[in-house]
Amino acid sequence: MRILVQSEPFDVGAETARFGKGHQNVGALVTFTGIVRNNDAGTMTAMQIEHYPGMTEKALTAIATEAQTRWELQDVLVIHRHGDLVPGEMIMMVATAARHRKAAFEAADFLMDYLKSRAPFWKREITSEGAEWVAAKDDDEEALKRW
């Protein structure tokens, strides 16, 4: 299991290759990469992402451990960036490895729902008109009820 919280960009191809290397009892690798999306008005110049070092890694490790146990995963990778990111930049990546594809997909979906709604990150949209904290969305909360 690898949990990375970093300000630096990451290379999805290199991370996927590294994650997939050496697994002999795995039948499925699932990856998901999140990208900073512009706001509905198309006016966002940056997304500021804040977190508390130590607390964030601990929370991500706990949820990744839960996913690993619940779906009998062989491996888990979570990368999440912080700092100022612009629309189009990669913000996060989740990868899961399991014997069967259903487990790998479900675990990745579970982790993404958690990252979207419960991970201790605070996001603020920066536009030419100022800055505004991003509020939780009802759809994201509903998604967590599946688990």
Side-chain angles (χ1 to χ4, degrees), residues 105-121:
F105 273 108
E106 286 180 359
D109 203 16
F110 168 78
L111 288 166
M112 292 178 297
D113 283 344
Y114 173 82
L115 287 170
K116 185 76 172 163
S117 301
R118 292 286 187 273
F121 291 99

Side-chain angles (χ1 to χ4, degrees), residues 73-141:
L73 300 177
Q74 303 297 313
D75 204 357
V76 178
L77 168 67
V78 177
I79 302 172
H80 203 296
R81 294 181 62 202
H82 62 88
D84 291 354
L85 289 85
V86 299
E89 280 192 272
M90 290 179 277
I91 187 173
M92 57 79 67
M93 177 181 180
V94 166
T96 57
R99 288 187 61 82
H100 303 285
R101 70 174 183 251
K102 184 175 181 183
F105 273 108
E106 286 180 359
D109 203 16
F110 168 78
L111 288 166
M112 292 178 297
D113 283 344
Y114 173 82
L115 287 170
K116 185 76 172 163
S117 301
R118 292 286 187 273
F121 291 99
W122 294 270
K123 300 174 184 176
R124 190 162 57 167
E125 289 184 0
I126 310 300
T127 69
S128 57
E129 296 178 11
E132 189 173 311
W133 292 104
V134 176
K137 294 181 177 146
D138 292 337
D139 289 349
D140 295 334
E141 294 299 316

